[in-house]
Amino acid sequence: MASMLRLLLLPSVLLLGSPPASEGSHRAEPMFTAVTNSVLPPDYESNPTQLNYGVAVTDVDHDGDFEIVVAGYNGPNLVLKYDRARRRLVNIAVDERGSPYYALRDRQGNAIGVTACDIDGDGREEIYFLNTNNAFSGVATYTDKLFKFRNHRWEDILSDEVNVRRGVASRFAGRSVACVDRTGSGRYSIYIANYANGNVGPDALIEMDPEASDLTRGILALNDVAAEAGVNKYTGGRGVSVGPILSDSASDIFCDNENGPNFLFRNRGDGTFVDVAASVGVDDPHQHGRGVALADFNRDGKVDIVYGNWNGPHRLFLQMSNHGKGRFRDIATPKFSMPSPVRTVIAADFDNDQELEVFFNNIASRGSSINRLFRVIRREHADPLIEELNPGDALEPEGRGTGGVVTDFDGDGVLDLILSHGESMAQPLSVFRGNQGFKNNWLRVVPRTRFGAFARGAKVVLFTRRSGAHLRVIDGGSGYLCEMEPVAHFGLGQDEASSLEVTWPDGRVVSRGVAKSERNSVLEIPYPSEEDELPQPVTLECGQGFAQQENGRCRGELPAGPGDRESLALQGRQGPGLPKPRPGRRITWIEGRPGYQISHVTYGRKVGTAWGLDNKTSGCTHMYTLTRTYTHTHPTQCPPPHTYTSSPPLQSPSFQAVALA
Ligand SMILES: [Ca+2]
Ligand SMILES: [Ca+2]
Ligand SMILES: [Ca+2]
Ligand SMILES: [Ca+2]
């Protein structure tokens, strides 16, 4: 039946793409093949035909492999584990009270949003389900659930006496939930995009109160810190995504909302936030946001935002720099932006060709609505090229799409796609395998927190021999109601990785080379220990366009071109008696390494926004983040960060270090 449908529908898609003849065969080749019937056949236990919503990927049974957690709305939540021997996804949250996963089923809850992260620092991710029982907005009749593994099973800690007493469990109807390490502690808070009814149900931010918790007994006292963090706003909450969007390392939060402007909460660096959506141009006040994803589409080291608006124009916001101030510009083409009943949006490299795809999962609520797939191709000196692809079986014209995730559950290095359906019709989950790019190189990077959990919100930059620097953010919540696998998945085409750099939300950085023997593998990157703090920089091959800096890290080595170049006088030179930068003062001084001076700063291409310089006198590494305000930080035993404001503002500078004669 499904294949029949496919045959009937495929021609219309080909027309829809109407590619030039020269590229036709390439683009028309279907990206995905449905493998539901072999991997997850519809049945009562593992793939019930029910209303499902959000999907998250985490390691539920703590064996090192990911499971797929599905929010069941009118049925149980599911925990799908890949059985390698049988090549099947199997629900381990079985309907047996003795099962350690039994509570996760929570049949009573009308779950829609789900996310996972380590909130107590025991190295294992907790799982949060947002329930919306009997409410579209305002107050619901059943609380959310926050499950922790303790006493050899998963238990809801929101119903612990201490948290009932504190009244912390959200009873508000909400939508997405996401994880944010707002202070860089390695312990995560849960951001809850509620759907307010007037002044009932502001967005919430729930985290552990360490003072009142008893970690040895697994008793976590929880607080809603939304007010102190500055995010307790009232809106029609929809999509949420977390990562260092404007900040260099700290986690910012983007929310695309309904019936009101979006929020872009910039982390002030201390775990409190300020909404800058309007000033950077992503408030989109007249549209109704749904799925969202973060990615760097033009490989300039700045995080871009892609999201869908409900039956409104979909956005692909590239982050620009405008006189040192973050600014976003929508580069969506008419085809890409074409309004649709969109739910989840996923940005990933499905064919490992180095270029990111964007997948729009639409819900066929009033008549057919195909899912759509685009490739965003990076170009030198121009905006990325956006071309429409054929999603193949993932077209699902009659699919009531409500959620979706990517993860490589079978470990072949090609991302798999899982789609959930529901709302207006009970439908089973669908599972898709990629058809393309099996000969391409890839690398998967899994950074860990200091506690050993997945480092959601961390930034991973992969330097390559030929295609520059590729950036990924470890997902803490995206799509719509969903959370992707906690992996930086890089497709490399025929290129090879040379080195990588991980930046944690607290600003810690690890740079390391990537050996030839590590090609096509999964690299675990632990949080650096104190001894690793100031390692002897190893010699890295940074790849084309990049050079290793004195501090061992790869940075863009060439200015973008004469047109972008602007000399900025840096008249000072290291030595006693030179003036220190002062707040409000233009940079006229910068520390350099003995034997070197910074001759000038040029506006140019950059990978990160920080450049490091060693000061041999103080033994401190000074990081200069040259944006409108620039931060001067000392990672070890040095004075705390100071912030200066430059005037006129700087943007995207690159240093040229010149040896003194
Ligand atoms: Ca597992
Ligand atoms: Ca935990
Ligand atoms: Ca691709
Ligand atoms: Ca796979």
Side-chain angles (χ1 to χ4, degrees):
M1 177 65 189
S3 59
M4 185 93 149
L5 211 56
R6 200 161 69 233
L7 282 175
L8 288 171
L9 284 151
L10 206 51
S12 65
V13 175
L14 295 177
L15 285 175
L16 198 131
S18 61
S22 59
E23 300 175 25
S25 59
H26 171 63
R27 287 210 233 167
E29 198 181 319
M31 183 68 85
F32 298 109
T33 295
V35 292
T36 315
N37 285 334
S38 62
V39 174
L40 186 63
D43 68 1
Y44 183 76
E45 289 297 330
S46 293
N47 194 3
T49 299
Q50 64 179 26
L51 306 180
N52 294 315
Y53 277 97
V55 188
V57 181
T58 178
D59 183 0
V60 178
D61 59 0
H62 213 48
D63 69 345
D65 288 338
F66 297 131
E67 283 75 47
I68 298 154
V69 181
V70 181
Y73 183 80
N74 67 339
N77 303 321
L78 309 170
V79 178
L80 303 174
K81 180 174 184 62
Y82 189 63
D83 180 331
R84 286 177 195 285
R86 294 167 60 206
R87 296 187 178 181
R88 290 272 292 264
L89 286 163
V90 177
N91 182 23
I92 57 172
V94 290
D95 192 8
E96 291 166 19
R97 286 184 178 275
S99 161
Y101 314 107
Y102 179 77
L104 294 173
R105 294 172 64 82
D106 192 28
R107 275 216 65 146
Q108 293 74 33
N110 294 159
I112 66 166
V114 58
T115 199
C117 47
D118 184 9
I119 64 169
D120 58 353
D122 69 347
R124 190 157 179 172
E125 294 199 312
E126 281 67 47
I127 306 173
Y128 192 101
F129 285 98
L130 190 147
N131 295 315
T132 58
N133 295 48
N134 297 315
F136 176 84
S137 62
V139 178
T141 57
Y142 187 87
T143 66
D144 293 353
K145 298 275 164 145
L146 176 51
F147 292 102
K148 172 178 171 53
F149 194 83
R150 66 178 181 193
N151 306 320
H152 312 291
R153 59 180 183 266
W154 288 89
E155 297 182 340
D156 173 36
I157 61 172
L158 280 168
S159 56
D160 283 353
E161 199 254 325
V162 59
N163 292 320
V164 171
R165 203 169 58 233
R166 289 170 166 237
V168 68
S170 175
R171 277 188 177 274
F172 298 124
R175 296 295 186 272
S176 294
V177 281
C179 292
V180 49
D181 179 2
R182 68 186 181 105
T183 60
S185 67
R187 291 190 172 102
Y188 287 79
S189 314
I190 310 282
Y191 189 94
I192 303 163
N194 278 321
Y195 205 101
N197 187 349
N199 276 2
V200 176
D203 280 8
L205 192 61
I206 288 179
E207 67 185 28
M208 182 177 75
D209 175 355
E211 304 296 310
S213 297
D214 180 353
L215 293 184
T216 54
R217 290 171 56 222
I219 304 293
L220 314 187
L222 302 168
N223 271 344
D224 181 356
V225 298
E228 70 178 70
V231 299
N232 60 332
K233 298 179 85 166
Y234 296 92
T235 187
R238 289 291 184 172
V240 181
S241 208
V242 175
I245 302 170
L246 296 169
S247 303
D248 295 314
S249 57
S251 288
D252 307 312
I253 305 167
F254 177 74
C255 304
D256 55 2
N257 299 318
E258 186 156 86
N259 295 316
N262 299 334
F263 305 147
L264 176 47
F265 291 116
R266 183 173 59 76
N267 196 322
R268 289 192 179 95
D270 60 359
T272 68
F273 297 87
V274 56
D275 180 14
V276 298
S279 68
V280 302
V282 294
D283 54 332
D284 210 0
H286 306 298
Q287 300 298 331
H288 309 299
R290 289 294 189 275
V292 56
L294 304 179
D296 175 13
F297 292 102
N298 58 346
R299 289 186 221 144
D300 66 348
K302 291 194 282 284
V303 175
D304 310 313
I305 304 173
V306 58
Y307 66 91
N309 281 313
W310 179 255
N311 287 325
H314 307 325
R315 309 292 192 190
L316 204 170
F317 275 117
L318 280 196
Q319 186 175 169
M320 322 300 293
S321 256
N322 188 11
H323 300 297
K325 188 178 165 187
R327 185 81 199 167
F328 289 81
R329 187 163 56 85
D330 185 10
I331 63 156
T333 57
K335 271 188 189 173
F336 187 94
S337 68
M338 190 187 295
S340 67
V342 67
R343 291 302 178 88
T344 283
V345 175
I346 295 172
D349 186 357
F350 287 108
D351 55 358
N352 287 340
D353 71 342
Q354 305 181 350
E355 309 296 349
L356 288 163
E357 279 78 48
V358 175
F359 180 75
F360 289 110
N361 187 21
N362 293 314
I363 182 166
S365 49
R366 292 182 189 162
S368 309
S369 184
I370 56 168
N371 297 326
R372 297 178 77 196
L373 183 68
F374 295 86
R375 182 180 285 135
V376 183
I377 301 162
R378 189 226 178 214
R379 291 187 291 185
E380 293 273 353
H381 310 301
D383 284 345
L385 184 72
I386 301 174
E387 65 174 22
E388 183 154 18
L389 305 179
N390 176 1
D393 289 348
L395 205 64
E396 295 207 319
E398 301 304 327
R400 263 63 167 182
T402 50
V405 286
V406 281
T407 180
D408 178 18
F409 63 76
D410 56 3
D412 64 353
V414 177
L415 289 172
D416 309 300
L417 175 68
I418 293 97
L419 297 182
S420 65
H421 313 90
E423 192 155 289
S424 55
M425 182 192 273
Q427 289 180 338
L429 299 156
S430 312
V431 184
F432 302 95
R433 282 214 173 102
N435 290 329
Q436 298 180 28
F438 281 93
K439 290 185 176 160
N440 287 334
N441 293 329
W442 51 271
L443 195 71
R444 290 164 61 76
V445 181
V446 185
R448 300 283 182 159
T449 68
R450 71 196 66 184
F451 305 113
F454 301 119
R456 300 196 185 262
K459 179 170 73 178
V460 183
V461 176
L462 190 74
F463 297 90
T464 61
R465 300 208 184 278
R466 292 188 299 277
S467 58
H470 302 246
L471 183 153
R472 301 283 188 273
V473 176
I474 304 298
D475 198 55
S478 68
Y480 179 55
L481 315 168
C482 293
E483 186 186 45
M484 309 296 135
E485 61 169 8
V487 180
H489 178 101
F490 297 97
L492 289 165
Q494 297 308 302
D495 201 357
E496 287 177 61
S498 50
S499 68
L500 67 85
E501 184 176 291
V502 179
T503 305
W504 278 262
D506 65 348
R508 293 285 284 269
V509 177
V510 161
S511 299
R512 84 194 265 303
V514 178
K516 272 204 187 315
S517 60
E518 293 174 316
R519 185 195 299 180
N520 301 345
S521 71
V522 182
L523 300 182
E524 291 270 347
I525 309 292
Y527 184 82
S529 65
E530 290 298 325
E531 300 85 72
D532 299 336
E533 185 62 47
L534 287 173
Q536 283 301 100
V538 290
T539 303
L540 299 179
E541 266 190 79
C542 297
Q544 189 195 22
F546 298 87
Q548 190 172 20
Q549 303 288 294
E550 295 293 341
N551 67 349
R553 293 166 62 180
C554 294
R555 286 294 171 257
E557 65 182 350
L558 298 170
D564 297 334
R565 189 177 301 197
E566 180 169 330
S567 288
L568 182 99
L570 286 174
Q571 295 145 356
R573 205 184 271 203
Q574 188 184 7
L578 285 169
K580 301 277 184 206
R582 287 197 297 269
R585 186 189 168 104
R586 184 187 170 106
I587 302 180
T588 54
W589 173 95
I590 202 162
E591 286 173 85
R593 213 179 136 91
Y596 290 83
Q597 73 174 124
I598 301 302
S599 63
H600 63 273
V601 171
T602 55
Y603 288 64
R605 184 169 167 206
K606 69 185 167 63
V607 175
T609 49
W611 282 260
L613 294 164
D614 290 327
N615 180 341
K616 295 295 180 194
T617 317
S618 67
C620 296
T621 299
H622 298 251
M623 298 303 303
Y624 290 88
T625 305
L626 293 162
T627 51
R628 187 170 60 158
T629 59
Y630 57 102
T631 308
H632 175 219
T633 61
H634 314 263
T636 50
Q637 310 110 27
C638 292
H642 347 288
T643 298
Y644 310 109
T645 302
S646 65
S647 176
L650 299 173
Q651 61 173 329
S652 308
S654 64
F655 294 130
Q656 283 194 349
V658 180
L660 293 175

